[in-house]
Amino acid sequence: MMRLFIRRYDTMSPSPSLFKNLPFLITPPLLWAGNVIVARMVRNDIPPFTLSFGRWVISLLILLPFAWAAMRRDKNLYRRHAKPVIGTALTGVAAFNTLVYTGLHNTTSTNALLLNSCIPVLIMLIGAVFYGQTLNRFQVSGLLLSLCGVLAIILRGDLENLWALRFNSGDLWVFAAVVCWAFYTLWMRHMPSEINRTGLTAVQIMLGLPVLLPLWLWERAGGAQVNWNTDALLGFAYVGVFPSVVAYLCYTAAIARVGAVRAGLSIHLMPVFGTLLAVTLLGEAFHLYHFIGILAIFGGILLSNRRSA
């Protein structure tokens, strides 16, 4: 199944159609919402640097057999475009998840999902300030509409809950991760199309692991150990396969096919899927504000994919 997925992924051509790209827009936030929940659940069993390092080792072992031929073919392209390749490896592989896992030891899943929902805003702001990126009225309107949907879910339909939100040092780690991801998305947009994306993902992981290795060793030297149990094993299995391999490949495809802004806007779906996972797996209640928020977010994504006349 993984071979068929990667083969189809590598042979795709760019397409602006929202319907055709819906799987690539929906899959990453779904799997990343699960990543936040799983990381929070196993925080007492797996130290953060260990989880991040182990996640990418597992991912590389899965990808390497499928990526090796493309990596050898594109090795000159990696050298020619070394800056964006290294930059995306540092921000998207080494930094983002490590910072999120560190932050989740001191903050809640809700706060982490809320902060991740800032990514589309940061992509637009950074793109406009540093890269001269222009936005049409539909993209701005879609962003605002989907942001209202996020707030409806986070605030549980009541503006007074805004004053009950509390942020701490863990939130600062997650916010730093969010900034890294915004830069990763923008830099991936400018990655040459002739570079095979499966091979590129494997190379990014290989560049990110040497950065994570000393952090993992430092964590072990400090006495942090994995509490090996079923939850820890399932946690490593999940983060190593789904949010790492499947979600990254889909997100990279979305950037190439619909652009950084529209792909980034799909991050607003993370609190939607986080809510649905909490309802399904944790038995939490589903309320009217969840439904309104989900409609607003989907409406924002549809609106942002319209093109100005």
Side-chain angles (χ1 to χ4, degrees), residues 15-268:
S15 169
S17 169
L18 176 63
F19 178 76
K20 291 181 179 179
N21 293 307
L22 208 54
F24 304 106
L25 292 169
I26 289 179
T27 301
L30 170 61
L31 298 180
W32 287 332
N35 178 52
V36 170
I37 291 177
V38 168
R40 178 68 178 169
M41 290 174 61
V42 301
R43 70 189 186 282
N44 295 324
D45 295 318
I46 309 175
F49 295 149
T50 302
L51 182 60
S52 187
F53 184 75
R55 162 188 180 152
W56 292 115
V57 169
I58 294 170
S59 303
L60 183 60
L61 292 175
I62 293 172
L63 271 180
L64 210 51
F66 307 104
W68 184 249
M71 291 166 63
R72 293 184 62 186
R73 185 183 66 244
D74 292 346
K75 60 183 179 181
N76 291 328
L77 290 173
Y78 302 143
R79 296 192 186 99
R80 193 182 310 162
H81 304 282
K83 286 185 178 180
V85 171
I86 294 173
T88 52
L90 294 178
T91 52
V93 174
F96 177 71
N97 289 284
T98 305
L99 294 170
V100 169
Y101 293 157
T102 301
L104 283 170
H105 278 248
N106 294 295
T107 192
T108 63
S109 299
T110 299
N111 278 23
L113 290 168
L114 170 61
L115 289 167
N116 272 273
S117 297
C118 296
I119 289 175
V121 179
L122 288 175
I123 290 173
M124 288 188 178
L125 290 177
I126 293 173
V129 172
F130 292 102
Y131 300 101
Q133 182 171 290
T134 58
L135 306 172
N136 64 50
R137 65 182 186 275
F138 294 121
Q139 289 175 317
V140 175
S141 299
L143 172 69
L144 294 175
L145 179 59
S146 62
L147 190 58
C148 288
V150 170
L151 290 174
I153 293 173
I154 297 298
L155 300 179
R156 301 190 297 278
D158 189 346
L159 282 175
E160 292 185 2
N161 288 326
L162 179 64
W163 314 114
L165 290 175
R166 296 292 182 269
F167 296 94
N168 54 39
S169 61
D171 297 312
L172 296 178
W173 288 107
V174 176
F175 184 74
V178 165
V179 174
C180 288
W181 191 259
F183 277 105
Y184 167 82
T185 301
L186 288 166
W187 291 342
M188 280 298 298
R189 180 190 182 190
H190 298 289
M191 195 71 70
S193 59
E194 62 266 27
I195 297 180
N196 177 274
R197 278 357 192 207
T198 302
L200 175 62
T201 302
V203 168
Q204 289 168 331
I205 296 173
M206 293 177 70
L207 292 172
L209 282 175
V211 179
L212 296 174
L213 178 59
L215 297 175
W216 173 57
L217 294 175
W218 173 79
E219 190 173 64
R220 284 179 58 86
Q225 299 290 332
V226 177
N227 178 25
W228 290 108
N229 53 38
T230 302
D231 288 344
L233 291 172
L234 291 176
F236 271 124
Y238 179 82
V239 301
V241 177
F242 297 101
S244 303
V245 177
V246 178
Y248 268 69
L249 291 178
C250 286
Y251 190 69
T252 300
I255 294 171
R257 292 165 70 86
V258 302
V261 171
R262 292 184 176 91
L265 191 62
S266 68
I267 302 296
H268 274 166

Side-chain angles (χ1 to χ4, degrees), residues 1-11 66:
M1 182 176 293
M2 182 63 69
R3 184 180 298 276
L4 290 174
F5 171 77
I6 291 177
R7 183 180 301 167
R8 182 175 181 183
Y9 167 82
D10 284 336
T11 56
F66 307 104

